Amino acid sequence: MSRKVIIAGNWKMNKTAAEGRELVEALKKSVAGLEAAEIVVCPPFTTIGAVAEAAAGSVIGVGAQNIHWAANGAFTGEISADMLKTSGVKYVIIGHSERRQYFGETNATVNSRLKAALAAGLIPIVCVGELLEERESGKTEAVLAGQIREGFAGIDAKDAEKIVVAYEPVWAIGTGKTATPDIAQAAHAFIRQELRALFGAAADAMRIQYGGSMKASNARELVAQPDIDGGLIGGAALKAEDFIALIREALAL
Ligand code: PGA
């Protein structure tokens, strides 16, 4: 089954509105007319409006970095699906390891956020991945299986097809230590097997991105793996020229 490559930049807590607009203006020119992949940028909430305006009419999609499960109410500091949608957002990252590590996200909150995103018609990018000590003690598959089974509980196969999974080994994020293509492929194949157990054939339509120190120099080899359908990129998505070079390599352009 052919799956469209999806390359998303996760800007994390970087870039003001003016800086975001500048990056998207530069990116827009380079990806004009590109049909081989979905290109997404995920700015901080306060930068989304400016970026959505700059990206309008281009192939660049806009994503958020978090979403709350409630429609509205007394949830100080949180943002709802409707707020995102009406700001021009189409994608949303859920359960990034930094949210799990520093902000108390669990598989249960991931599940609630995922359901809210799907109900609103947003495309969720759900992050999973093991810590270094989990890999070293042979727990990678158990950790991934738990994140998937609990994070995706109660989702039906029809909705599952829309979900993008990002496999981000925590030891590779921001460390410069990329998983080798073989290690990444093995984890992606395992994730797809877990998705198949939950969703049957729909698993073959689901995109699984790799994330963790992906850059122009390793993107081609990673995305060439049979179960790697793109990338979720942090550091190398913060400068237009780096992100453009990475996109070209990932797509072998
Ligand atoms: P990195 O971040 O590319 O800087 O390693 C990836 C991510 O956290 O999504």
Side-chain angles (χ1 to χ4, degrees):
M1 170 163 309
S2 83
R3 295 178 292 264
K4 192 167 188 178
V5 167
I6 174 164
I7 299 176
N10 172 14
W11 294 1
K12 309 192 180 186
M13 197 172 73
N14 294 290
K15 298 204 180 290
T16 62
E19 290 164 349
R21 190 182 291 116
E22 195 184 326
L23 197 162
V24 169
E25 290 298 347
L27 182 61
K28 208 158 82 166
K29 293 192 196 99
S30 301
V31 299
L34 185 76
E35 281 174 4
E38 267 167 64
I39 306 295
V40 181
V41 293
C42 303
F45 291 132
T46 49
T47 301
I48 283 173
V51 162
E53 219 173 81
S58 77
V59 301
I60 303 167
V62 181
Q65 299 174 17
N66 192 13
I67 180 175
H68 194 261
W69 50 86
N72 50 53
F75 300 102
T76 302
E78 293 288 325
I79 303 282
S80 75
D82 199 38
M83 293 167 190
L84 296 179
K85 281 185 80 176
T86 53
S87 303
V89 166
K90 289 213 181 79
Y91 301 81
V92 60
I93 298 171
I94 296 174
H96 189 278
S97 64
E98 286 148 19
R99 300 234 31 108
R100 294 178 189 257
Q101 211 173 338
Y102 308 131
F103 303 103
E105 290 266 355
T106 62
N107 294 334
T109 59
V110 166
N111 186 248
S112 300
R113 294 183 204 275
L114 174 59
K115 286 175 176 161
L118 287 168
L122 292 165
I123 298 175
I125 299 177
V126 179
C127 303
V128 297
E130 79 287 359
L131 303 169
L132 183 60
E133 60 262 34
E134 292 167 338
R135 172 159 291 270
E136 287 177 343
S137 56
K139 295 198 187 109
T140 299
E141 293 193 347
V143 168
L144 294 175
Q147 289 172 337
I148 290 165
R149 287 174 189 240
E150 292 169 30
F152 290 14
I155 305 293
D156 65 32
K158 206 164 111 314
D159 277 337
E161 285 194 8
K162 298 168 202 144
I163 302 172
V164 177
V165 179
Y167 169 61
E168 301 205 305
V170 180
W171 46 271
I173 295 178
T175 57
K177 283 189 212 151
T178 319
T180 62
D182 285 352
I183 288 178
Q185 166 56 27
H188 282 235
F190 176 77
I191 290 167
R192 200 175 303 285
Q193 179 189 311
E194 286 298 302
L195 295 172
R196 214 171 272 129
L198 289 179
F199 304 124
D204 293 308
M206 295 174 73
R207 275 103 43 100
I208 310 176
Q209 298 175 306
Y210 170 80
S213 298
M214 194 191 262
K215 44 190 179 274
S217 59
N218 56 34
R220 189 182 291 223
E221 229 189 331
L222 285 161
V223 175
Q225 302 302 312
D227 286 293
I228 302 185
D229 308 308
L232 181 59
I233 300 64
L238 291 176
K239 277 195 203 145
E241 69 259 34
D242 293 347
F243 197 44
I244 291 162
L246 185 152
I247 293 167
R248 293 191 161 282
E249 285 297 324
L251 300 177
L253 293 177

